[in-house]
Amino acid sequence: MRFLGNVMATIIGIFVFFMLFFFGIVLIGAIFGGESEGVTVKSNSVIELNLDNICNDYAGKYKDPWMEVFSKKKGIGFIDVINAIEAAKTDNDIKGISILNQDSSLGLAQSKELREALISFKKSGKFVMAYANNYTQRDYYLNSVANTIYLNPAGDLDFKGLSTEVMFFKDLQEKSGIKMEVIRHGKYKSAVEPFLENKMSDANREQTTALLNSVWSSVLADISESRNISIARLNEIATGLLARTPEMAKANKLIDNIAYEDVYHDAIKKELKVATDEDYNKVSLSDYAQKVTTTSVSADTDNQIAVIYAQGEIASGEGDVNTIGEGSMRRSLQEARKNKDIKAIVLRIDSPGGSALTSDLIWREIELTKKVKPVVVSMGNYAASGGYYIACNANTIFAEKNTITGSIGVFGVLPNFSRLSTKIGINTEQVMTNENANYSPFVPLNEKFKAVTLEGVERVYKTFITHVAEGRKMTVAQVDSIAQGRVWTGTEAKKIGLVDKIGNLNDALKEAASLVKIKTYSTQTFPEYEKNFSDLLAKLPFAKSKEALIKEELGEENYFILQQIKKVQLQKGIQARMPFEISIQ
């Protein structure tokens, strides 16, 4: 036994040694490589706009120096992209931007903001050119801003209008015996509708149709302006699928040239006055954005505006770049509030909502902050339900036309397995000191417990609409009439008073500066997450969770269904969440 113990100790020691050696080498490379490496932009260069790994507005900062070492070069945020394009307008070394085989994960509101940045870039006298083997509808919307659009002769272009679909699980519940007991307020609060019905309600269909039509109108208006094609004609093209081949797309003026990629690069060389047998200078978007971030000079260190990013679902705990946590958000607001150099705050929201309690705690922190300095909200792709909850008391609210917002409503979901347990022969009995001491998912939901839970939902809903009424200077009745869980686009939200102005983050910053009467300022970004090194290790390939394996075995679509069921099961407490997950195709 001692021999085996010694062998095991030796094996473990060797393993630990190699692990420490590996991380030591990585750390040294990260530290010294990061210090010595710099991005040099040659004259007569073109930025290659690659957005493959960019979806969040904010890439994140960490208090733990180890986390900073390993995360600072992992990527850039969407706002870094916008800032880089703004800087490139006046950079004499940058002559143009190339959008090459773009396949982005940006939302429609982000795509619109990026289009506006590219339009501004073109107005500086520089070019934007685009090439793709295939254009998805989402990516064509972005690429349509280019001066010249190329498509591969063997490619295709997807331009057919918008659609979405909602899965319903009522029959699945009946067959499986697993039931989701739903307590909700709001006739449009359709996050839970799939567990109650087998088809879409009239109210849900009404709001979904209005939402898609509003988004589509905004998309068509932008493409119409860029391509000089009437909106009526664009609708005809979409309805008849009249751009499905390269030849049809060119005939209908959605693209300019049908050619292979080498021809596209030759066209860029011609713009740059570079010989066809020579290479032209390129710089990747991520490298250029890193350069802009590290070399930008603060306009005014005494006059700062804090930009606090709230992105992802709202939940308790610290939070991270994908989750709005109570810890990081409240700490960020407190730090910005107490910092005398920070004169105003812009809260950038991209969230479908989540925990009602956490939303209320963040709302309260904003309320306290407003008494000291103004808070302006900039909405990204989403600021719905809990996302709107944390926005409603801001001094000014900005949204993009395509932002999905509103969804002022709450619900609760209680999983119940009583029919399933009966089917498979499980009987559950309870012993309690008081009648309502416990809710068991293995016995039918009694009406008294349901009534008490509904009372809690109604209380949270009343608090929600009261906050909105106070923040938006409306009556509770006025808010209730446009609430009920209904979802609105930014365009619609402005008409009904949920949003003040249509604009992007830069517009929100200008508004914040105007409120405190400053002309020059620098920005300071938050949150700075309190994550430690062990959190980073958990994300490394050898420590990946089982989800990746499940996805590989089940496939993307089946894995998505599994995640929807799992997500509902994990929702605890009353939720202020978007009415349904909408994936616009």
Side-chain angles (χ1 to χ4, degrees):
M1 292 297 293
R2 179 176 294 178
F3 171 75
L4 290 175
N6 290 337
V7 170
M8 286 301 297
T10 302
I11 293 173
I12 293 170
I14 292 172
F15 176 76
V16 171
F17 169 78
F18 278 108
M19 289 297 293
L20 291 173
F21 177 77
F22 169 76
F23 283 114
I25 293 296
V26 172
L27 178 61
I28 292 170
I31 294 173
F32 292 99
E35 290 177 349
S36 61
E37 188 177 337
V39 177
T40 301
V41 179
K42 298 178 181 178
S43 62
N44 212 30
S45 288
V46 172
I47 294 175
E48 290 193 327
L49 192 73
N50 189 324
L51 304 169
D52 288 353
N53 298 314
I54 297 170
C55 57
N56 289 329
D57 288 334
Y58 179 51
K61 293 191 300 186
Y62 301 90
K63 287 184 177 293
D64 188 332
W66 284 85
M67 288 292 290
E68 275 298 290
V69 166
F70 281 92
S71 65
K72 67 181 178 181
K73 295 181 67 179
K74 69 179 181 181
I76 57 174
F78 172 71
I79 300 303
D80 296 318
V81 173
I82 299 299
N83 293 337
I85 294 173
E86 179 66 22
K89 287 188 339 186
T90 55
D91 188 336
N92 293 329
D93 292 327
I94 299 297
K95 303 302 180 183
I97 292 176
S98 168
I99 312 175
L100 180 62
N101 281 317
Q102 183 55 57
D103 182 18
S104 79
S105 300
L106 299 180
L108 284 172
Q110 289 173 316
S111 295
K112 181 171 180 59
E113 189 168 351
L114 181 53
R115 285 182 100 263
E116 290 169 353
L118 291 170
I119 289 170
S120 178
F121 177 84
K122 290 196 312 180
K123 288 178 179 178
S124 69
K126 302 180 181 185
F127 67 83
V128 176
M129 294 177 66
Y131 175 92
N133 291 324
N134 298 284
Y135 284 113
T136 66
Q137 189 164 245
R138 180 192 300 271
D139 290 327
Y140 178 75
Y141 172 56
L142 173 60
N143 282 256
S144 65
V145 76
N147 298 90
T148 312
I149 304 174
Y150 286 74
L151 178 60
N152 187 298
D156 55 53
L157 192 154
D158 185 29
F159 190 74
K160 58 190 178 185
L162 305 180
S163 68
T164 189
E165 61 182 18
V166 180
M167 292 183 290
F168 293 85
F169 305 106
K170 185 177 180 182
D171 284 348
L172 175 64
Q173 293 179 109
E174 295 292 331
K175 293 177 181 179
S176 66
I178 301 173
K179 186 179 181 182
M180 296 298 173
E181 298 285 1
V182 173
I183 299 94
R184 63 172 173 172
H185 183 107
K187 63 180 180 179
Y188 293 101
K189 202 66 190 176
S190 307
V192 290
E193 188 175 89
F195 297 102
L196 300 173
E197 307 291 343
N198 269 331
K199 62 179 183 178
M200 190 176 287
S201 66
D202 291 341
N204 191 7
R205 185 170 293 279
E206 175 192 347
Q207 73 162 346
T208 305
T209 301
L211 180 76
L212 289 179
N213 284 334
S214 180
V215 172
W216 183 236
S217 295
S218 176
V219 167
L220 289 183
D222 289 339
I223 295 175
S224 174
E225 185 176 352
S226 293
R227 299 300 301 170
N228 196 25
I229 306 172
S230 72
I231 291 175
R233 181 55 185 162
L234 285 172
N235 267 317
E236 289 175 2
I237 295 169
T239 301
L241 303 177
L242 302 181
R244 61 185 183 272
T245 68
E247 292 75 19
M248 295 171 77
K250 184 178 180 183
N252 284 291
K253 301 180 181 179
L254 266 66
I255 64 169
D256 299 294
N257 294 305
I258 302 170
Y260 288 101
E261 189 178 326
D262 58 288
V263 177
Y264 169 75
H265 289 297
D266 286 343
I268 293 178
K269 292 176 183 177
K270 187 175 181 180
E271 284 283 343
L272 298 173
K273 296 181 173 56
V274 172
T276 55
D277 59 346
E278 295 180 5
D279 290 332
Y280 62 91
N281 298 325
K282 312 178 190 73
V283 58
S284 73
L285 170 68
S286 57
D287 283 345
Y288 190 76
Q290 290 281 2
K291 176 182 181 292
V292 170
T293 301
T294 55
T295 60
S296 58
V297 179
S298 297
D300 192 333
T301 55
D302 292 329
N303 289 329
Q304 298 180 7
I305 296 177
V307 181
I308 301 177
Y309 291 91
Q311 56 192 28
E313 296 205 2
I314 301 172
S316 60
E318 170 64 14
D320 55 30
V321 291
N322 297 307
T323 307
I324 302 171
E326 170 199 345
S328 58
M329 287 302 299
R330 294 180 69 188
R331 186 175 61 251
S332 298
L333 286 161
Q334 289 166 8
E335 290 177 5
R337 186 167 74 229
K338 294 172 184 176
N339 188 328
K340 293 181 180 180
D341 291 333
I342 293 175
K343 310 304 183 186
I345 294 166
V346 171
L347 181 63
R348 172 73 172 191
I349 301 174
D350 189 358
S351 172
S355 165
L357 174 59
T358 303
S359 300
D360 192 72
L361 293 171
I362 296 171
W363 171 89
R364 176 59 181 169
E365 207 64 59
I366 293 171
E367 194 72 2
L368 294 173
T369 303
K370 270 178 57 186
K371 294 177 181 178
V372 180
K373 52 193 71 173
V375 178
V376 176
V377 160
S378 167
M379 295 178 172
N381 295 317
Y382 297 92
S385 209
Y388 188 79
Y389 199 131
I390 65 175
C392 69
N393 60 336
N395 295 82
T396 312
I397 299 177
F398 284 80
E400 290 284 5
K401 290 181 179 179
N402 293 337
T403 296
I404 295 175
T405 187
S407 186
I408 301 167
V410 297
F411 68 88
V413 178
L414 300 170
N416 191 279
F417 310 112
S418 57
R419 292 184 60 190
L420 174 63
S421 60
T422 301
K423 278 184 178 182
I424 62 178
I426 296 176
N427 182 48
T428 303
E429 294 191 9
Q430 297 175 305
V431 178
M432 296 180 286
T433 60
N434 298 80
E435 181 183 355
N436 297 301
N438 179 46
Y439 166 73
S440 171
F442 296 102
V443 297
L445 179 67
N446 67 64
E447 290 303 314
K448 185 173 183 179
F449 186 88
K450 188 173 184 178
V452 170
T453 308
L454 179 58
E455 182 183 291
V457 168
E458 295 287 355
R459 178 174 55 83
V460 173
Y461 178 74
K462 185 177 180 181
T463 301
F464 193 168
I465 62 174
T466 300
H467 287 335
V468 175
E470 292 169 351
R472 302 305 301 161
K473 296 178 174 56
M474 302 165 72
T475 67
V476 170
Q478 285 174 321
V479 175
D480 189 46
S481 69
I482 57 176
Q484 300 288 331
R486 178 158 182 172
V487 177
W488 308 89
T489 62
T491 300
E492 297 168 325
K494 183 177 182 296
K495 292 177 182 177
I496 60 176
L498 293 179
V499 165
D500 294 300
K501 299 179 181 181
I502 299 299
N504 54 33
L505 178 59
N506 193 45
D507 295 319
L509 285 167
K510 290 176 182 176
E511 173 75 7
S514 174
L515 290 175
V516 291
K517 296 179 173 57
I518 57 175
K519 292 185 178 180
T520 61
Y521 57 87
S522 60
T523 58
Q524 186 174 345
T525 57
F526 297 88
E528 194 173 28
Y529 301 108
E530 290 186 344
K531 295 283 186 179
N532 57 43
F533 193 56
S534 61
D535 296 315
L536 179 64
L537 291 180
K539 296 181 180 180
L540 292 176
F542 61 79
K544 278 186 178 177
S545 63
K546 61 183 179 295
E547 275 77 7
L549 295 174
I550 295 174
K551 185 184 291 186
E552 185 177 339
E553 291 299 318
L554 295 181
E556 290 282 349
E557 292 184 358
N558 292 328
Y559 180 75
F560 173 75
I561 295 172
L562 176 65
Q563 287 298 98
Q564 302 315 298
I565 296 171
K566 181 179 178 183
K567 193 175 288 185
V568 172
Q569 291 174 335
L570 291 175
Q571 290 170 9
K572 297 179 181 179
I574 296 170
Q575 301 288 305
R577 184 181 296 273
M578 234 189 104
F580 52 91
E581 289 208 14
I582 182 167
S583 176
I584 297 175
Q585 304 295 330

